[in-house]
Amino acid sequence: ALVFLLLLFAGFTASERRRRELDLALEEERVERLRVAGELRAARDIQMGMLPDPRRIEGLPITLDFFALLEPAEEVGGDLYDASMLDELRLCFMIGDVSGKGVPASLFMALTKTLSKSLARREQMPLEQVMRLVNDEVSRENPAAMFVTTIIGIIDARSGAVELCNAGHNPPIRLSSVRPPQELDGANGPPLCVDEAFPYTPQRLQLHSGDLLLLITDGVSEAENGKQVCYGTARIIDCF
């Protein structure tokens, strides 16, 4: 009986010590999760703060309207957009989607956006040269082998002329008040970081009064319902 009681006491003591160790580990894990969640919320705020407010594009002419919406699938993500005036008449815009999700994609997104905007604002630089330079720069030191699909475009607020370079991204959709929605030609080349020397070429189109140019990422077309059926581009066009 004495031996039994001693073994029972020893077992209880070991069990209690183990319980305290587990409680401590759980508390440390909880604190770590809260810390990471706080950092991700801060990263989300920083990432979203890098995107221009579509209602406050400085210098936007009254002949143009601009709207954008971005909702990351996680706290941070790799989708991006940007818009800024190159001069009094020309609006430069872009949309993009980095491979993957989460923090790595968001960092690559910030690099691509900043670099694209900086190069596009240089005077007298053709759009295809901007795309080639962006491709060359973001391809450097890319050990994770990430890539970016993107469209960079310039629209003339006076004439409605649009110039686009598409690197592997979803084709733009032109919405007209006098004709059915039209999905434009596909990409002019592969995504950025796939072929460093690819000679991207621009495509040109003419927008008329009341026309709208719709740019999306695959977050829209590949959204799934409960049966894992994708929304699809055809439904987007039908919706509009």
Side-chain angles (χ1 to χ4, degrees):
L2 180 60
V3 171
F4 174 75
L5 290 174
L6 288 173
L7 291 175
L8 183 64
F9 178 76
F12 175 77
T13 302
S15 176
E16 186 66 17
R17 182 173 64 251
R18 179 60 178 163
R19 185 187 65 79
R20 288 196 298 268
E21 291 174 351
L22 288 174
D23 287 345
L24 181 61
L26 286 173
E27 179 63 20
E28 290 176 350
E29 183 180 347
R30 187 184 70 84
V31 171
E32 179 65 14
R33 284 202 306 267
L34 290 173
R35 183 187 66 80
V36 172
E39 290 182 353
L40 287 174
R41 282 195 297 271
R44 179 188 177 94
D45 291 342
I46 292 172
Q47 182 185 31
M48 300 304 288
M50 293 178 63
L51 304 174
D53 185 338
R55 297 163 297 183
R56 295 183 174 86
I57 303 297
E58 185 177 355
L60 186 69
I62 60 173
T63 53
L64 289 179
D65 287 323
F66 178 82
F67 179 76
L69 175 67
L70 190 153
E71 285 290 342
E74 300 177 0
E75 286 83 355
V76 291
D79 285 9
L80 63 111
Y81 74 85
D82 201 2
S84 62
M85 298 299 298
L86 298 179
D87 51 38
E88 293 182 355
L89 293 175
R90 295 184 303 152
L91 173 70
C92 180
F93 57 90
M94 75 173 296
I95 186 172
D97 184 5
V98 179
S99 59
K101 290 180 172 60
V103 175
S106 69
L107 293 174
F108 215 69
M109 165 269 195
L111 170 65
T112 305
K113 175 189 173 301
T114 303
L115 187 61
S116 300
K117 187 171 186 176
S118 174
L119 291 173
R121 292 177 70 90
R122 292 185 182 179
E123 282 191 35
Q124 306 302 324
M125 182 178 290
L127 196 58
E128 60 269 28
Q129 186 177 351
V130 172
M131 188 69 87
R132 287 197 292 268
L133 287 175
V134 173
N135 185 34
D136 181 61
E137 290 297 327
V138 297
S139 298
R140 300 176 188 269
E141 300 178 1
N142 182 18
M146 303 183 77
F147 62 87
V148 190
T149 68
T150 186
I151 293 176
I152 301 178
I154 297 175
I155 179 170
D156 189 302
R158 177 182 296 168
S159 66
V162 181
E163 188 178 33
L164 298 170
C165 259
N166 187 338
H169 199 77
N170 302 65
I173 300 171
R174 176 164 54 187
L175 306 173
S176 170
S177 57
V178 297
R179 61 177 66 91
Q182 175 191 9
E183 188 175 21
L184 303 179
D185 293 337
N188 306 109
L192 304 181
C193 303
V194 172
D195 183 351
E196 296 181 31
F198 189 85
Y200 291 95
T201 57
Q203 63 181 119
R204 295 174 175 85
L205 64 141
Q206 180 67 45
L207 294 182
H208 303 285
S209 180
D211 286 359
L212 187 149
L213 189 64
L214 176 66
L215 308 177
I216 63 170
T217 69
D218 59 16
V220 180
S221 57
E222 296 183 6
E224 296 181 350
N225 63 13
K227 298 180 180 179
Q228 296 185 323
V229 177
C230 290
Y231 192 75
T233 303
R235 289 188 185 182
I236 296 171
I237 294 177
D238 287 344
C239 175
F240 282 97

mmCIF file of all heavy atoms in Angstrom, residues 194-235:
data_model
loop_
_atom_site.group_PDB
_atom_site.id
_atom_site.type_symbol
_atom_site.label_atom_id
_atom_site.label_comp_id
_atom_site.label_asym_id
_atom_site.label_seq_id
_atom_site.Cartn_x
_atom_site.Cartn_y
_atom_site.Cartn_z
ATOM 1 N N VAL A 194 9.610 35.737 -65.804
ATOM 2 C CA VAL A 194 9.616 34.466 -66.530
ATOM 3 C C VAL A 194 10.671 34.474 -67.628
ATOM 4 O O VAL A 194 11.416 33.509 -67.804
ATOM 5 C CB VAL A 194 8.224 34.170 -67.116
ATOM 6 C CG1 VAL A 194 8.272 32.953 -68.042
ATOM 7 C CG2 VAL A 194 7.218 33.927 -65.996
ATOM 8 N N ASP A 195 10.731 35.582 -68.375
ATOM 9 C CA ASP A 195 11.717 35.723 -69.449
ATOM 10 C C ASP A 195 12.292 37.136 -69.349
ATOM 11 O O ASP A 195 11.640 38.109 -69.714
ATOM 12 C CB ASP A 195 11.050 35.496 -70.803
ATOM 13 C CG ASP A 195 12.042 35.558 -71.969
ATOM 14 O OD1 ASP A 195 13.210 35.954 -71.738
ATOM 15 O OD2 ASP A 195 11.646 35.219 -73.108
ATOM 16 N N GLU A 196 13.505 37.231 -68.842
ATOM 17 C CA GLU A 196 14.107 38.546 -68.573
ATOM 18 C C GLU A 196 14.299 39.374 -69.843
ATOM 19 O O GLU A 196 14.313 40.600 -69.784
ATOM 20 C CB GLU A 196 15.461 38.373 -67.871
ATOM 21 C CG GLU A 196 15.357 37.730 -66.496
ATOM 22 C CD GLU A 196 16.721 37.606 -65.831
ATOM 23 O OE1 GLU A 196 17.586 38.458 -66.091
ATOM 24 O OE2 GLU A 196 16.912 36.648 -65.057
ATOM 25 N N ALA A 197 14.460 38.735 -70.985
ATOM 26 C CA ALA A 197 14.777 39.465 -72.216
ATOM 27 C C ALA A 197 13.573 39.595 -73.139
ATOM 28 O O ALA A 197 13.739 39.963 -74.303
ATOM 29 C CB ALA A 197 15.927 38.772 -72.944
ATOM 30 N N PHE A 198 12.374 39.311 -72.657
ATOM 31 C CA PHE A 198 11.226 39.315 -73.560
ATOM 32 C C PHE A 198 10.930 40.732 -74.055
ATOM 33 O O PHE A 198 10.841 41.674 -73.264
ATOM 34 C CB PHE A 198 9.985 38.758 -72.868
ATOM 35 C CG PHE A 198 8.838 38.553 -73.819
ATOM 36 C CD1 PHE A 198 8.740 37.388 -74.554
ATOM 37 C CD2 PHE A 198 7.879 39.540 -74.002
ATOM 38 C CE1 PHE A 198 7.689 37.192 -75.447
ATOM 39 C CE2 PHE A 198 6.837 39.364 -74.885
ATOM 40 C CZ PHE A 198 6.738 38.189 -75.614
ATOM 41 N N PRO A 199 10.723 40.906 -75.374
ATOM 42 C CA PRO A 199 10.454 42.244 -75.935
ATOM 43 C C PRO A 199 8.958 42.575 -75.916
ATOM 44 O O PRO A 199 8.248 42.358 -76.888
ATOM 45 C CB PRO A 199 10.971 42.121 -77.374
ATOM 46 C CG PRO A 199 10.751 40.674 -77.712
ATOM 47 C CD PRO A 199 10.932 39.900 -76.433
ATOM 48 N N TYR A 200 8.478 43.068 -74.803
ATOM 49 C CA TYR A 200 7.054 43.412 -74.698
ATOM 50 C C TYR A 200 6.686 44.492 -75.715
ATOM 51 O O TYR A 200 7.461 45.413 -75.972
ATOM 52 C CB TYR A 200 6.733 43.903 -73.289
ATOM 53 C CG TYR A 200 6.817 42.821 -72.248
ATOM 54 C CD1 TYR A 200 7.983 42.637 -71.506
ATOM 55 C CD2 TYR A 200 5.744 41.968 -72.006
ATOM 56 C CE1 TYR A 200 8.070 41.635 -70.553
ATOM 57 C CE2 TYR A 200 5.826 40.967 -71.050
ATOM 58 C CZ TYR A 200 6.990 40.797 -70.327
ATOM 59 O OH TYR A 200 7.088 39.808 -69.385
ATOM 60 N N THR A 201 5.486 44.363 -76.279
ATOM 61 C CA THR A 201 4.992 45.349 -77.237
ATOM 62 C C THR A 201 3.645 45.877 -76.751
ATOM 63 O O THR A 201 2.871 45.149 -76.121
ATOM 64 C CB THR A 201 4.811 44.726 -78.633
ATOM 65 O OG1 THR A 201 3.929 43.600 -78.534
ATOM 66 C CG2 THR A 201 6.148 44.264 -79.185
ATOM 67 N N PRO A 202 3.347 47.134 -77.038
ATOM 68 C CA PRO A 202 2.081 47.710 -76.569
ATOM 69 C C PRO A 202 0.920 47.386 -77.492
ATOM 70 O O PRO A 202 1.115 47.060 -78.666
ATOM 71 C CB PRO A 202 2.376 49.208 -76.579
ATOM 72 C CG PRO A 202 3.382 49.384 -77.672
ATOM 73 C CD PRO A 202 4.212 48.130 -77.689
ATOM 74 N N GLN A 203 -0.286 47.426 -76.963
ATOM 75 C CA GLN A 203 -1.482 47.381 -77.791
ATOM 76 C C GLN A 203 -2.240 48.692 -77.569
ATOM 77 O O GLN A 203 -2.193 49.266 -76.483
ATOM 78 C CB GLN A 203 -2.367 46.173 -77.460
ATOM 79 C CG GLN A 203 -2.946 46.142 -76.060
ATOM 80 C CD GLN A 203 -3.783 44.908 -75.793
ATOM 81 O OE1 GLN A 203 -3.474 44.123 -74.919
ATOM 82 N NE2 GLN A 203 -4.847 44.726 -76.537
ATOM 83 N N ARG A 204 -2.924 49.138 -78.598
ATOM 84 C CA ARG A 204 -3.597 50.439 -78.544
ATOM 85 C C ARG A 204 -5.078 50.271 -78.839
ATOM 86 O O ARG A 204 -5.473 49.421 -79.635
ATOM 87 C CB ARG A 204 -2.948 51.414 -79.533
ATOM 88 C CG ARG A 204 -1.503 51.754 -79.185
ATOM 89 C CD ARG A 204 -0.826 52.597 -80.261
ATOM 90 N NE ARG A 204 0.516 53.004 -79.846
ATOM 91 C CZ ARG A 204 1.593 52.247 -79.999
ATOM 92 N NH1 ARG A 204 1.486 51.040 -80.554
ATOM 93 N NH2 ARG A 204 2.774 52.681 -79.596
ATOM 94 N N LEU A 205 -5.878 51.076 -78.167
ATOM 95 C CA LEU A 205 -7.318 51.074 -78.424
ATOM 96 C C LEU A 205 -7.854 52.474 -78.199
ATOM 97 O O LEU A 205 -7.174 53.337 -77.607
ATOM 98 C CB LEU A 205 -8.045 50.080 -77.524
ATOM 99 C CG LEU A 205 -8.014 50.337 -76.023
ATOM 100 C CD1 LEU A 205 -9.347 50.004 -75.396
ATOM 101 C CD2 LEU A 205 -6.931 49.466 -75.369
ATOM 102 N N GLN A 206 -9.064 52.695 -78.656
ATOM 103 C CA GLN A 206 -9.692 54.005 -78.563
ATOM 104 C C GLN A 206 -10.956 53.891 -77.722
ATOM 105 O O GLN A 206 -11.854 53.106 -78.028
ATOM 106 C CB GLN A 206 -10.031 54.534 -79.958
ATOM 107 C CG GLN A 206 -10.699 55.900 -79.967
ATOM 108 C CD GLN A 206 -9.756 56.997 -79.491
ATOM 109 O OE1 GLN A 206 -8.595 57.043 -79.896
ATOM 110 N NE2 GLN A 206 -10.258 57.877 -78.636
ATOM 111 N N LEU A 207 -11.010 54.665 -76.638
ATOM 112 C CA LEU A 207 -12.219 54.750 -75.831
ATOM 113 C C LEU A 207 -13.016 55.982 -76.250
ATOM 114 O O LEU A 207 -12.437 57.031 -76.565
ATOM 115 C CB LEU A 207 -11.870 54.850 -74.341
ATOM 116 C CG LEU A 207 -11.200 53.633 -73.697
ATOM 117 C CD1 LEU A 207 -10.975 53.895 -72.213
ATOM 118 C CD2 LEU A 207 -12.009 52.367 -73.901
ATOM 119 N N HIS A 208 -14.333 55.833 -76.256
ATOM 120 C CA HIS A 208 -15.218 56.936 -76.588
ATOM 121 C C HIS A 208 -15.974 57.387 -75.344
ATOM 122 O O HIS A 208 -15.938 56.723 -74.299
ATOM 123 C CB HIS A 208 -16.183 56.505 -77.694
ATOM 124 C CG HIS A 208 -15.503 56.014 -78.934
ATOM 125 N ND1 HIS A 208 -14.901 56.865 -79.835
ATOM 126 C CD2 HIS A 208 -15.295 54.749 -79.410
ATOM 127 C CE1 HIS A 208 -14.374 56.165 -80.820
ATOM 128 N NE2 HIS A 208 -14.596 54.874 -80.590
ATOM 129 N N SER A 209 -16.640 58.490 -75.459
ATOM 130 C CA SER A 209 -17.372 59.039 -74.319
ATOM 131 C C SER A 209 -18.341 58.002 -73.750
ATOM 132 O O SER A 209 -19.122 57.399 -74.480
ATOM 133 C CB SER A 209 -18.141 60.288 -74.754
ATOM 134 O OG SER A 209 -18.861 60.823 -73.661
ATOM 135 N N GLY A 210 -18.262 57.762 -72.451
ATOM 136 C CA GLY A 210 -19.125 56.787 -71.795
ATOM 137 C C GLY A 210 -18.554 55.393 -71.717
ATOM 138 O O GLY A 210 -19.107 54.539 -71.020
ATOM 139 N N ASP A 211 -17.440 55.126 -72.418
ATOM 140 C CA ASP A 211 -16.815 53.803 -72.352
ATOM 141 C C ASP A 211 -16.111 53.611 -71.015
ATOM 142 O O ASP A 211 -15.699 54.571 -70.355
ATOM 143 C CB ASP A 211 -15.796 53.630 -73.486
ATOM 144 C CG ASP A 211 -16.462 53.431 -74.829
ATOM 145 O OD1 ASP A 211 -17.701 53.418 -74.869
ATOM 146 O OD2 ASP A 211 -15.734 53.308 -75.828
ATOM 147 N N LEU A 212 -15.969 52.332 -70.650
ATOM 148 C CA LEU A 212 -15.281 51.987 -69.402
ATOM 149 C C LEU A 212 -14.321 50.840 -69.677
ATOM 150 O O LEU A 212 -14.666 49.891 -70.398
ATOM 151 C CB LEU A 212 -16.311 51.580 -68.339
ATOM 152 C CG LEU A 212 -15.813 51.329 -66.910
ATOM 153 C CD1 LEU A 212 -16.900 51.703 -65.907
ATOM 154 C CD2 LEU A 212 -15.428 49.853 -66.708
ATOM 155 N N LEU A 213 -13.127 50.931 -69.126
ATOM 156 C CA LEU A 213 -12.127 49.878 -69.256
ATOM 157 C C LEU A 213 -12.026 49.157 -67.916
ATOM 158 O O LEU A 213 -11.684 49.751 -66.904
ATOM 159 C CB LEU A 213 -10.772 50.471 -69.647
ATOM 160 C CG LEU A 213 -9.681 49.465 -70.038
ATOM 161 C CD1 LEU A 213 -10.073 48.709 -71.300
ATOM 162 C CD2 LEU A 213 -8.347 50.170 -70.247
ATOM 163 N N LEU A 214 -12.354 47.868 -67.918
ATOM 164 C CA LEU A 214 -12.400 47.067 -66.688
ATOM 165 C C LEU A 214 -11.180 46.158 -66.621
ATOM 166 O O LEU A 214 -10.931 45.366 -67.533
ATOM 167 C CB LEU A 214 -13.682 46.233 -66.663
ATOM 168 C CG LEU A 214 -13.848 45.265 -65.492
ATOM 169 C CD1 LEU A 214 -13.990 46.025 -64.178
ATOM 170 C CD2 LEU A 214 -15.047 44.357 -65.721
ATOM 171 N N LEU A 215 -10.427 46.254 -65.532
ATOM 172 C CA LEU A 215 -9.265 45.404 -65.297
ATOM 173 C C LEU A 215 -9.502 44.622 -64.010
ATOM 174 O O LEU A 215 -9.890 45.194 -62.990
ATOM 175 C CB LEU A 215 -7.985 46.237 -65.161
ATOM 176 C CG LEU A 215 -7.690 47.247 -66.274
ATOM 177 C CD1 LEU A 215 -6.430 48.046 -65.935
ATOM 178 C CD2 LEU A 215 -7.512 46.532 -67.608
ATOM 179 N N ILE A 216 -9.268 43.321 -64.058
ATOM 180 C CA ILE A 216 -9.485 42.477 -62.889
ATOM 181 C C ILE A 216 -8.278 41.568 -62.678
ATOM 182 O O ILE A 216 -7.419 41.430 -63.556
ATOM 183 C CB ILE A 216 -10.740 41.591 -63.055
ATOM 184 C CG1 ILE A 216 -10.546 40.637 -64.242
ATOM 185 C CG2 ILE A 216 -11.991 42.434 -63.223
ATOM 186 C CD1 ILE A 216 -11.616 39.563 -64.357
ATOM 187 N N THR A 217 -8.206 40.945 -61.504
ATOM 188 C CA THR A 217 -7.255 39.857 -61.277
ATOM 189 C C THR A 217 -8.043 38.555 -61.229
ATOM 190 O O THR A 217 -9.269 38.548 -61.197
ATOM 191 C CB THR A 217 -6.473 40.032 -59.965
ATOM 192 O OG1 THR A 217 -7.375 39.854 -58.859
ATOM 193 C CG2 THR A 217 -5.831 41.414 -59.885
ATOM 194 N N ASP A 218 -7.328 37.435 -61.186
ATOM 195 C CA ASP A 218 -8.028 36.147 -61.158
ATOM 196 C C ASP A 218 -8.724 35.895 -59.826
ATOM 197 O O ASP A 218 -9.421 34.886 -59.671
ATOM 198 C CB ASP A 218 -7.077 34.999 -61.499
ATOM 199 C CG ASP A 218 -5.891 34.905 -60.546
ATOM 200 O OD1 ASP A 218 -5.939 35.509 -59.456
ATOM 201 O OD2 ASP A 218 -4.915 34.209 -60.889
ATOM 202 N N GLY A 219 -8.548 36.814 -58.863
ATOM 203 C CA GLY A 219 -9.323 36.707 -57.638
ATOM 204 C C GLY A 219 -10.808 36.841 -57.886
ATOM 205 O O GLY A 219 -11.629 36.351 -57.097
ATOM 206 N N VAL A 220 -11.172 37.477 -58.996
ATOM 207 C CA VAL A 220 -12.581 37.598 -59.375
ATOM 208 C C VAL A 220 -13.000 36.389 -60.217
ATOM 209 O O VAL A 220 -13.953 35.683 -59.885
ATOM 210 C CB VAL A 220 -12.840 38.903 -60.158
ATOM 211 C CG1 VAL A 220 -14.300 39.009 -60.539
ATOM 212 C CG2 VAL A 220 -12.424 40.109 -59.323
ATOM 213 N N SER A 221 -12.289 36.139 -61.286
ATOM 214 C CA SER A 221 -12.695 35.074 -62.211
ATOM 215 C C SER A 221 -12.554 33.685 -61.591
ATOM 216 O O SER A 221 -13.291 32.758 -61.962
ATOM 217 C CB SER A 221 -11.869 35.153 -63.501
ATOM 218 O OG SER A 221 -10.482 35.079 -63.217
ATOM 219 N N GLU A 222 -11.634 33.512 -60.638
ATOM 220 C CA GLU A 222 -11.424 32.201 -60.029
ATOM 221 C C GLU A 222 -12.061 32.076 -58.648
ATOM 222 O O GLU A 222 -11.793 31.108 -57.929
ATOM 223 C CB GLU A 222 -9.931 31.887 -59.956
ATOM 224 C CG GLU A 222 -9.273 31.760 -61.336
ATOM 225 C CD GLU A 222 -7.812 31.390 -61.266
ATOM 226 O OE1 GLU A 222 -7.322 31.116 -60.141
ATOM 227 O OE2 GLU A 222 -7.149 31.364 -62.318
ATOM 228 N N ALA A 223 -12.892 33.035 -58.271
ATOM 229 C CA ALA A 223 -13.646 32.897 -57.027
ATOM 230 C C ALA A 223 -14.568 31.684 -57.143
ATOM 231 O O ALA A 223 -15.204 31.474 -58.176
ATOM 232 C CB ALA A 223 -14.455 34.164 -56.755
ATOM 233 N N GLU A 224 -14.640 30.862 -56.079
ATOM 234 C CA GLU A 224 -15.392 29.617 -56.138
ATOM 235 C C GLU A 224 -16.615 29.663 -55.231
ATOM 236 O O GLU A 224 -16.596 30.291 -54.172
ATOM 237 C CB GLU A 224 -14.507 28.437 -55.712
ATOM 238 C CG GLU A 224 -13.333 28.181 -56.640
ATOM 239 C CD GLU A 224 -12.500 26.994 -56.193
ATOM 240 O OE1 GLU A 224 -12.730 26.508 -55.058
ATOM 241 O OE2 GLU A 224 -11.634 26.548 -56.955
ATOM 242 N N ASN A 225 -17.660 28.970 -55.649
ATOM 243 C CA ASN A 225 -18.831 28.810 -54.789
ATOM 244 C C ASN A 225 -18.653 27.561 -53.926
ATOM 245 O O ASN A 225 -17.585 26.936 -53.922
ATOM 246 C CB ASN A 225 -20.113 28.761 -55.621
ATOM 247 C CG ASN A 225 -20.144 27.565 -56.567
ATOM 248 O OD1 ASN A 225 -19.344 26.638 -56.465
ATOM 249 N ND2 ASN A 225 -21.079 27.574 -57.499
ATOM 250 N N GLY A 226 -19.703 27.170 -53.214
ATOM 251 C CA GLY A 226 -19.602 26.023 -52.326
ATOM 252 C C GLY A 226 -19.324 24.719 -53.038
ATOM 253 O O GLY A 226 -18.852 23.755 -52.431
ATOM 254 N N LYS A 227 -19.601 24.657 -54.332
ATOM 255 C CA LYS A 227 -19.344 23.452 -55.121
ATOM 256 C C LYS A 227 -18.021 23.527 -55.864
ATOM 257 O O LYS A 227 -17.760 22.732 -56.770
ATOM 258 C CB LYS A 227 -20.487 23.226 -56.112
ATOM 259 C CG LYS A 227 -21.839 22.991 -55.437
ATOM 260 C CD LYS A 227 -22.943 22.777 -56.473
ATOM 261 C CE LYS A 227 -24.285 22.557 -55.809
ATOM 262 N NZ LYS A 227 -25.376 22.376 -56.808
ATOM 263 N N GLN A 228 -17.195 24.522 -55.519
ATOM 264 C CA GLN A 228 -15.875 24.723 -56.118
ATOM 265 C C GLN A 228 -15.963 24.988 -57.624
ATOM 266 O O GLN A 228 -15.091 24.592 -58.387
ATOM 267 C CB GLN A 228 -14.954 23.536 -55.838
ATOM 268 C CG GLN A 228 -14.644 23.348 -54.355
ATOM 269 C CD GLN A 228 -13.634 22.245 -54.105
ATOM 270 O OE1 GLN A 228 -13.634 21.230 -54.781
ATOM 271 N NE2 GLN A 228 -12.764 22.456 -53.136
ATOM 272 N N VAL A 229 -17.023 25.692 -58.024
ATOM 273 C CA VAL A 229 -17.166 26.123 -59.414
ATOM 274 C C VAL A 229 -16.711 27.574 -59.508
ATOM 275 O O VAL A 229 -17.183 28.425 -58.747
ATOM 276 C CB VAL A 229 -18.628 25.990 -59.889
ATOM 277 C CG1 VAL A 229 -18.778 26.520 -61.309
ATOM 278 C CG2 VAL A 229 -19.078 24.536 -59.808
ATOM 279 N N CYS A 230 -15.795 27.856 -60.426
ATOM 280 C CA CYS A 230 -15.259 29.206 -60.562
ATOM 281 C C CYS A 230 -16.297 30.154 -61.165
ATOM 282 O O CYS A 230 -17.121 29.752 -61.983
ATOM 283 C CB CYS A 230 -14.010 29.199 -61.455
ATOM 284 S SG CYS A 230 -12.579 28.407 -60.686
ATOM 285 N N TYR A 231 -16.217 31.417 -60.773
ATOM 286 C CA TYR A 231 -17.140 32.422 -61.295
ATOM 287 C C TYR A 231 -16.948 32.607 -62.798
ATOM 288 O O TYR A 231 -17.905 32.651 -63.563
ATOM 289 C CB TYR A 231 -16.938 33.746 -60.560
ATOM 290 C CG TYR A 231 -18.021 34.751 -60.836
ATOM 291 C CD1 TYR A 231 -19.275 34.624 -60.258
ATOM 292 C CD2 TYR A 231 -17.800 35.829 -61.679
ATOM 293 C CE1 TYR A 231 -20.280 35.540 -60.514
ATOM 294 C CE2 TYR A 231 -18.796 36.759 -61.939
ATOM 295 C CZ TYR A 231 -20.035 36.610 -61.351
ATOM 296 O OH TYR A 231 -21.010 37.517 -61.609
ATOM 297 N N GLY A 232 -15.692 32.723 -63.227
ATOM 298 C CA GLY A 232 -15.397 32.738 -64.660
ATOM 299 C C GLY A 232 -15.550 34.096 -65.321
ATOM 300 O O GLY A 232 -16.326 34.939 -64.872
ATOM 301 N N THR A 233 -14.794 34.292 -66.389
ATOM 302 C CA THR A 233 -14.829 35.554 -67.130
ATOM 303 C C THR A 233 -16.164 35.755 -67.838
ATOM 304 O O THR A 233 -16.659 36.885 -67.943
ATOM 305 C CB THR A 233 -13.686 35.598 -68.157
ATOM 306 O OG1 THR A 233 -12.438 35.410 -67.489
ATOM 307 C CG2 THR A 233 -13.651 36.940 -68.884
ATOM 308 N N ALA A 234 -16.757 34.677 -68.329
ATOM 309 C CA ALA A 234 -18.033 34.794 -69.044
ATOM 310 C C ALA A 234 -19.110 35.399 -68.156
ATOM 311 O O ALA A 234 -19.906 36.241 -68.586
ATOM 312 C CB ALA A 234 -18.472 33.434 -69.557
ATOM 313 N N ARG A 235 -19.124 35.009 -66.885
ATOM 314 C CA ARG A 235 -20.126 35.565 -65.958
ATOM 315 C C ARG A 235 -19.846 37.043 -65.680
ATOM 316 O O ARG A 235 -20.780 37.837 -65.503
ATOM 317 C CB ARG A 235 -20.125 34.790 -64.652
ATOM 318 C CG ARG A 235 -20.703 33.378 -64.766
ATOM 319 C CD ARG A 235 -20.842 32.765 -63.386
ATOM 320 N NE ARG A 235 -21.271 31.385 -63.461
ATOM 321 C CZ ARG A 235 -21.513 30.619 -62.389
ATOM 322 N NH1 ARG A 235 -21.373 31.133 -61.189
ATOM 323 N NH2 ARG A 235 -21.887 29.370 -62.533
#
